[in-house]
Amino acid sequence: MDFNMKKLASDAGIFFTRAVQFTEEKFGQAEKTELDAHFENLLARADSTKNWTEKILRQTEVLLQPNPSEWTGTGPGARAGSWWQRLAGARVEEFLYEKLDRKVPSRVTNGELLAQYMTEAAGELGPTTPYGKTLIKVAEAEKRLGAAERDFIHTASINFLTPLRNFLEGDWKTISKERRLLQNRRLDLDACKARLKKAKAAEAKATTVPDFQETRPRNYILSASASALWNDEVDKSEQELRVAQTEFDRQAEVTRLLLEGISSTHVNHLRCLHEFVESQTTYYAQCYRHMLDLQKQLGRFPGTFVGTTEPASPPLSSTSPTTTAATMPVEPSVAGLAPPGEAALCLEEVAPPASGTRKARVLYDYEAADSSELALLADELITVYSLPGMDPDWLIGERGNKKGKVPVTYLELLS
């Protein structure tokens, strides 16, 4: 107990001394050992990496964190408060399961919850009515969207969020610990420099001729004794300075190596970012396919409003050598080969024009909605051409002895 109390008192004294020294450095009243410019740049880059990693991690958690529970209360304030409460509660739950080394139970997603409500509504309002049938179809699509969302959240959490957390909770804590040790070593080094400076000043003053009015031998003996004492103090201070300098250099090298490892962290986070983008691309592609299927199913229901018949994207110019879809295509309106009110064109009677045919590469798989359309597979090459009076969102496509209408937004026209 006595030893612990002495150690506690000693640590408190060292802490107080360093606090005073640090304050004097801030006010310019004490000398400070400066780190080289490269080291300072490494420190700044490490701090920036830590700060932005925290922000990206928090915002990605907000993006991925599902909030499936029902709203409570009324009004925007109640809704916002409930959302944040659920968000915080879900993260606390994840933290507890992680500490207990148990798997976090899967939660129902927003899409699956919406599917459940639509299915229940269809059962109550009449599953055989047009509205009830549509609710069931949309519910099935929303359920598939919810499952795709869950897979995306799981993949992104493992491949992106976990590496970011590991950096903040592992590597960064080690770097912070070594930086604190380096700061203490620097304060010790500066304290040794200050003590040596004071000892040398006192030694120089003691070696001068004593300013005594009496020049008795006793005064010279006292002066020589003081000079010897300060000489010993200078030797002791120089020894302490050498030890402090060695410890500071060693700790600076350890910290430097850790800070230079931030470059490896950037490489690792870059790889994780690519994986996050890949998983997000897969998720949105799945959502797009599910909605395409739903749109086709709704289009077969009589009296169902599918969408506007205006072109989903500007018509392709036949003068441009190559046109690439910049975004995921939107299903064009199924308008047929002829405008409304005119007779539909028979595909068997369609012949390619003498000039104006072009090769096209298929960008996405496309399932023919009826016999007048041509099914497509991604990356295959087909011959396409247009006919007078055709919807600008469609072309005639030929592959071998098969032909049919194909949507323009699924094609990359080649020169």
Side-chain angles (χ1 to χ4, degrees), residues 278-336:
E278 288 294 332
S279 61
Q280 198 169 27
T281 302
T282 302
Y283 167 61
Y284 285 124
Q286 291 174 343
C287 294
Y288 169 74
R289 287 196 297 270
H290 294 327
M291 296 311 296
L292 262 188
D293 293 340
L294 176 62
Q295 189 182 44
K296 292 176 182 178
Q297 293 175 15
L298 296 184
R300 298 191 183 103
F301 287 0
T304 303
F305 176 78
V306 178
T308 178
T309 58
E310 296 180 359
S313 59
L316 295 176
S317 173
S318 59
T319 59
S320 60
T322 304
T323 304
T324 304
T327 57
M328 294 295 286
V330 178
E331 172 96 17
S333 56
V334 183

Side-chain angles (χ1 to χ4, degrees), residues 65-70 105-117 142-143 146-147 149-150 153:
Q65 182 62 59
N67 51 335
S69 302
E70 296 183 7
S106 60
R107 302 184 184 90
V108 62
T109 61
N110 290 325
E112 291 171 324
L113 186 61
L114 178 59
Q116 177 184 340
Y117 289 165
E142 292 296 336
K143 187 176 181 180
E149 180 186 2
R150 182 189 293 108
I153 292 173

Side-chain angles (χ1 to χ4, degrees), residues 59-197:
Q59 192 57 37
T60 308
E61 288 175 339
V62 172
L63 174 68
L64 298 179
Q65 182 62 59
N67 51 335
S69 302
E70 296 183 7
W71 295 111
T72 57
T74 59
R79 290 172 178 262
S82 176
W83 187 90
W84 282 109
Q85 291 171 3
R86 289 196 306 275
L87 184 62
R91 291 178 182 170
V92 170
E93 181 184 8
E94 290 179 354
F95 176 79
L96 292 177
Y97 275 101
E98 180 181 355
K99 293 302 180 183
L100 294 175
D101 196 19
R102 297 182 60 185
K103 182 179 179 181
V104 180
S106 60
R107 302 184 184 90
V108 62
T109 61
N110 290 325
E112 291 171 324
L113 186 61
L114 178 59
Q116 177 184 340
Y117 289 165
M118 287 184 172
T119 303
E120 294 174 357
E124 186 172 339
L125 300 177
T128 59
T129 64
Y131 182 42
K133 291 181 179 179
T134 304
L135 279 174
I136 292 175
K137 291 294 182 182
V138 176
E140 292 174 353
E142 292 296 336
K143 187 176 181 180
R144 290 192 293 268
L145 291 175
E149 180 186 2
R150 182 189 293 108
D151 293 340
F152 166 57
I153 292 173
H154 177 71
T155 304
S157 297
I158 294 177
N159 296 337
F160 189 61
L161 292 184
T162 300
L164 297 186
R165 290 196 191 100
N166 290 342
F167 166 72
L168 293 175
E169 297 174 1
D171 295 347
W172 182 253
K173 286 187 176 180
T174 302
I175 292 175
S176 300
K177 177 183 177 182
E178 298 301 329
R179 287 178 65 175
R180 288 192 296 269
L181 289 176
L182 178 63
Q183 178 78 339
N184 292 336
R185 296 291 182 266
R186 185 193 62 77
L187 291 173
D188 293 343
L189 176 62
D190 291 338
C192 290
K193 290 180 179 179
R195 283 197 297 270
L196 178 60
K197 185 178 180 180

